Amino acid sequence: MISALLRLGRWGLGTFERLGRGHLFLVRLLLGIAALLLRLPLLIVQMYSVGVLTLPIIVVSGAFVGMVLGLQGYNTLVDFGAEESLGVIVSLSLVRELGPVVSALLFAGRAGSALTAEIGLMKTTEQLSGMEMMAVDPMRRVVAPRFFAGCFSMPLLTAIFSAVGVLGGYFVGVGLLGVDEGAFWSQMQANTDWEEDILNGVIKSLVFGFVVTWIAVFEGYDTAPTSEGVARATTRTVVHSAFAVLALDFVLTALMFGVE
């Protein structure tokens, strides 16, 4: 019993100590914003690596999620004679919920793990130490461009995911199942609110992008400088990001669309 309490205490102290280091790390990152404005090419290169290279998995996944929504929505609505509302179901599901959440999970699996592995490998091979010896701050030269590239890329990837998903739902609903095309688009346009639906979805994607990229670069920078340490840090990035996204999604949804 005593040993179990000791282990629990050590785990709690270690967790709080790591949370503290993570927040100090974030403060150092945010202080690098001004320096990053003078190095925009670094940011653009990282946006290509983090954002553009993640695009294929976002597009393919968005298409299949939209097609599933179209099929499931039609099978439910047709029982009530309301299949003309299929466009609303597809758009609201994607813009409010599935677009930000699924994009963030895919982003964590593809870009987040790559960021952790890249920074962790640079630490393992002492490239970061070499920069410090040459009076180059690795936080501003290596970590900050990757962090802000992730923050900027996530809302764009979410928008593309939702747009492709709507087209997937249109293909199944209108193209394959015979829903009226005019009703599909007009119902979607009439019932999707710019502020309540689209803007709240954008806010979710901004928060998810910030948190996932923060976890990814911190895990890479804080990794043990061994191959096993990098592997563990990459796994922690995916797992912690998934938990953070799902927990934050509940909090944000309660704040944005809570019971009136």
Side-chain angles (χ1 to χ4, degrees):
M1 182 65 181
I2 297 298
S3 61
L5 289 175
L6 286 174
R7 283 197 297 272
L8 180 62
R10 280 196 293 270
W11 177 82
L13 288 174
T15 301
F16 281 114
E17 188 266 344
R18 204 146 191 277
L19 281 174
R21 280 192 286 120
H23 283 82
L24 291 175
F25 176 86
L26 179 62
V27 171
R28 290 179 63 191
L29 265 181
L30 297 179
L31 291 176
I33 292 179
L36 187 62
L37 294 177
L38 302 175
R39 298 173 176 173
L40 285 179
L42 284 177
L43 180 63
I44 294 172
V45 169
Q46 292 306 320
M47 286 190 71
Y48 173 82
S49 175
V50 171
V52 176
L53 296 183
T54 310
L55 199 54
I57 190 173
I58 290 291
V59 171
V60 173
S61 301
F64 281 116
V65 169
M67 291 166 70
V68 170
L69 281 175
L71 189 59
Q72 292 279 22
Y74 179 84
N75 288 333
T76 303
L77 293 172
V78 74
D79 292 337
F80 302 95
E83 59 270 25
E84 290 81 9
S85 300
L86 181 62
V88 184
I89 299 296
V90 171
S91 67
L92 293 185
S93 300
L94 286 167
V95 171
R96 282 186 171 192
E97 192 65 33
L98 292 178
V101 172
V102 178
S103 298
L105 296 177
L106 293 171
F107 182 81
R110 193 296 176 186
S113 59
L115 285 174
T116 301
E118 184 182 14
I119 297 174
L121 187 60
M122 293 177 75
K123 183 177 181 180
T124 303
T125 54
E126 299 186 348
Q127 295 180 54
L128 300 183
S129 301
M131 288 183 184
E132 292 175 346
M133 291 179 65
M134 292 186 292
V136 176
D137 186 357
M139 286 292 291
R140 297 187 177 186
R141 180 66 177 78
V142 174
V143 181
R146 287 163 174 77
F147 173 72
F148 290 107
C151 294
F152 295 146
S153 299
M154 186 64 214
L156 300 175
L157 292 172
T158 301
I160 293 171
F161 182 96
S162 298
V164 173
V166 168
L167 292 178
Y170 169 83
F171 171 73
V172 171
V174 177
L176 299 183
L177 301 175
V179 175
D180 182 73
E181 181 178 6
F184 183 91
W185 292 117
S186 62
Q187 291 276 345
M188 182 187 300
Q189 184 178 4
N191 293 286
T192 304
D193 184 75
W194 161 254
E195 182 175 349
E196 185 177 355
D197 302 320
I198 297 177
L199 186 59
N200 283 337
V202 172
I203 293 172
K204 277 188 175 184
S205 67
L206 285 169
V207 173
F208 295 161
F210 182 91
V211 173
V212 170
T213 316
W214 173 24
I215 291 173
V217 294
F218 173 69
E219 290 290 352
Y221 197 79
D222 196 57
T223 185
T226 62
S227 56
E228 185 182 10
V230 174
R232 287 182 176 177
T234 305
T235 303
R236 282 199 302 268
T237 292
V238 177
V239 174
H240 292 175
S241 296
F243 283 145
V245 166
L246 295 175
L248 283 171
D249 182 50
F250 171 74
V251 174
L252 292 173
T253 300
L255 292 175
M256 294 172 177
F257 310 106
V259 178
E260 298 179 355

